[in-house]
Amino acid sequence: MTPSRRLATPHDREILRLAVPAFGALVAEPLFLLSDSAIVGHLGTAQLGGLGVAGQALTTIVYVCVFLAYGTTAGVARQVGAGDMRAAIRQGIDGLWLALAIGAALVVAGWPLVSWIVDAFGASPGVAPHAETYLKISLFGIPGMLLVFAGTGVLRGLQDTRTPLVVSIGGFSLNLLLNALFVLVLDWGIAGSAWGTVLAQTGSAAVYVAVVLRGAREHGAPVRPDLDGLWTSATAGFGLLVRTAALRIVLIVGTSIAARMGDPEIAAYQVGFQVWTLMAFALDAIAIAGQAITGRYLGASDIAGTRAVTRRMVGWGIGCGIVFGLAILAVRPWLPNLFTSDDDVRNLLLASLLLVAVLQPVAGVVFVLDGILIGAGDGPYLAMTTLLATVVFMPAAIVLYRVDAGLVGLWTAIGLWMLTRMLTLGLRARGDRWMVTGAVR
């Protein structure tokens, strides 16, 4: 069999059908804050700094709720695999109600804490007022953001990643238009940028709600809140919440350690981490395909199919990781010059990129297996092992910092973290306990 024919199996076509649009949607999401930065930057340094602080705070608050997308994807996909579209839509609606409830609670809880949150992020006296203004307004966009998470999860579970791509592009375009209107034309300042993003996120959420409601009418699914369904969605997402919080801790600690090394180190680390993040988007797209496909196969009680598609997706993860690693090595001699003219930062970045490149195949396995186990609803195991990997990372990062290992030491600790995750996820995938079949895990 020729290589081209090996790449044309039904599993490959299915993976690509879901992964390619998912990658586009993942890349579109960061453009919200990027477009805000481009426009707010014209207001002044203090306003841009305020956006940076508020954006980090908002991202931290919202990021831990990504389980709304992942958990909903897995649950809906299982029902699709079992052939019960009415139950699939019903489960998706439960996810939407849960997102709305959590979003409302975060607005109420976050409003009186805005000043404290801004202070906790170390905003200077000149930056703090702008950060508070942006964050106070942006809080009203959190319900929309969480509805987008849940709505994306519903459609992914229904094996549709193209609609989220279209909604992401539309939301980004609306955000850019409203920011330009409110800030540059109406002169609302940083508040205009915040309102533009809130309206764009809320508009995107409205599209998802409309699509799900159309599906509910088509399949006769009730749309009223169901307490049992809300409880099931919440408990199913708890393991993913713990997993996500543990991942976030590693990212925060890594940045904190790099900042304590010095200005050249934190500058080089941020650029290296952005390269890592870009590669992660592509690998996460395969993981998203894994969530949707695995849930559907297990819902259909197809163990053999689950095994086969798991092997194929892991192969895709390794292959993409190798390609990405080689690509980083190829551009490594020239890449630092795009970001800095400082020789210290350049040399630090050159060393960091070597480790970033070497870790790409490991990341490929980790991201894909993580997505597969999320699709299987194996949240408790993911929570436990991600906490374990974080426990491994923390002392390693601190010790290497204490012995002045520099950025190479920090990236080595990240590599140890990834290897621990690969080992624990790989051991789980080799067994059978995660493959619980049926419409409900």
Side-chain angles (χ1 to χ4, degrees):
M1 180 179 292
T2 64
S4 61
R5 291 189 63 185
R6 285 199 299 271
L7 290 174
T9 68
H11 289 322
D12 291 323
R13 289 192 291 271
E14 187 174 29
I15 293 167
L16 286 173
R17 180 180 64 82
L18 294 172
V20 172
F23 174 67
L26 288 168
V27 172
E29 283 301 315
L31 293 178
F32 270 101
L33 197 56
L34 185 61
S35 62
D36 287 358
S37 300
I39 293 173
V40 171
H42 289 85
L43 297 175
T45 302
Q47 289 88 340
L48 187 59
L51 174 64
V53 170
Q56 283 294 328
L58 197 64
T59 301
T60 300
I61 294 170
V62 173
Y63 183 83
V64 295
C65 297
V66 74
F67 71 88
L68 289 166
Y70 294 165
T72 304
T73 298
V76 172
R78 276 184 175 270
Q79 297 290 355
V80 170
D84 192 343
M85 287 296 296
R86 184 177 184 274
I89 297 294
R90 173 69 258 186
Q91 184 139 3
I93 290 172
D94 290 336
L96 291 175
W97 279 114
L98 180 62
L100 186 60
I102 293 174
L106 287 174
V107 174
V108 173
W111 181 263
L113 299 176
V114 165
S115 296
W116 180 86
I117 293 171
V118 170
D119 288 341
F121 275 83
S124 69
V127 165
H130 301 292
E132 290 182 17
T133 297
Y134 191 93
L135 187 55
K136 281 182 178 179
I137 296 170
S138 295
L139 283 174
F140 293 107
I142 288 180
M145 295 178 193
L146 300 192
L147 282 170
V148 167
F149 279 167
T152 301
V154 175
L155 295 182
R156 288 174 181 171
L158 295 173
Q159 315 297 295
D160 176 9
T161 57
R162 291 189 178 184
T163 301
L165 172 59
V166 173
V167 175
S168 293
I169 294 172
F172 163 69
S173 301
L174 180 60
N175 182 63
L176 182 61
L177 177 64
L178 291 176
N179 271 261
L181 174 63
F182 294 160
V183 177
L184 302 180
V185 178
L186 299 180
D187 198 25
W188 288 4
I190 195 169
S193 176
W195 280 119
T197 301
V198 167
L199 292 174
Q201 291 283 10
T202 304
S204 297
V207 173
Y208 279 115
V209 171
V211 171
V212 175
L213 289 178
R214 185 179 64 191
R217 288 193 299 270
E218 182 180 346
H219 297 284
V223 297
R224 64 184 181 277
D226 178 71
L227 292 180
D228 290 338
L230 289 173
W231 177 251
T232 300
S233 296
T235 53
F238 180 75
L240 296 180
L241 174 64
V242 173
R243 161 204 170 270
T244 304
L247 294 177
R248 192 69 184 175
I249 288 171
V250 171
L251 302 183
I252 292 172
V253 170
T255 300
S256 176
I257 289 176
R260 284 168 170 76
M261 293 179 187
D263 291 347
E265 284 81 2
I266 184 59
Y269 178 75
Q270 287 300 322
V271 175
F273 194 78
Q274 290 305 313
V275 174
W276 174 276
T277 302
L278 179 61
M279 300 299 103
F281 282 144
L283 295 173
D284 205 29
I286 304 173
I288 287 169
Q291 293 172 26
I293 296 171
T294 301
R296 194 185 82 240
Y297 272 79
L298 290 176
S301 299
D302 186 351
I303 293 292
T306 303
R307 277 288 183 206
V309 77
T310 296
R311 286 193 297 267
R312 198 62 181 171
M313 282 188 285
V314 170
W316 271 89
I318 295 172
C320 288
I322 292 172
V323 171
F324 295 163
L326 292 175
I328 293 171
L329 290 177
V331 302
R332 173 177 166 270
W334 301 278
L335 190 61
N337 294 327
L338 297 177
F339 298 93
T340 182
S341 58
D342 187 312
D343 287 339
D344 289 337
V345 176
R346 184 179 181 278
N347 291 332
L348 288 167
L349 186 53
L350 283 171
S352 300
L353 289 174
L354 279 175
L355 287 169
V356 172
V358 169
L359 288 173
Q360 289 307 303
V362 177
V365 176
V366 170
F367 277 58
V368 169
L369 288 180
D370 188 64
I372 288 169
L373 294 182
I374 288 174
D378 206 14
Y381 182 83
L382 289 170
M384 177 184 67
T385 54
T386 307
L387 283 172
L388 173 62
T390 302
V391 169
V392 170
F393 165 80
M394 294 286 282
I398 293 170
V399 168
L400 289 168
Y401 168 68
R402 296 288 187 187
V403 300
D404 293 326
L407 281 189
V408 170
L410 178 56
W411 278 106
T412 299
I414 292 173
L416 185 60
W417 172 59
M418 293 297 292
L419 286 168
T420 304
R421 294 188 68 203
M422 184 176 72
L423 176 63
T424 54
L425 294 174
L427 288 173
R428 185 66 161 182
R430 285 174 63 88
D432 298 324
R433 294 182 63 183
W434 63 278
M435 289 193 290
V436 179
T437 60
V440 179
R441 182 178 171 86

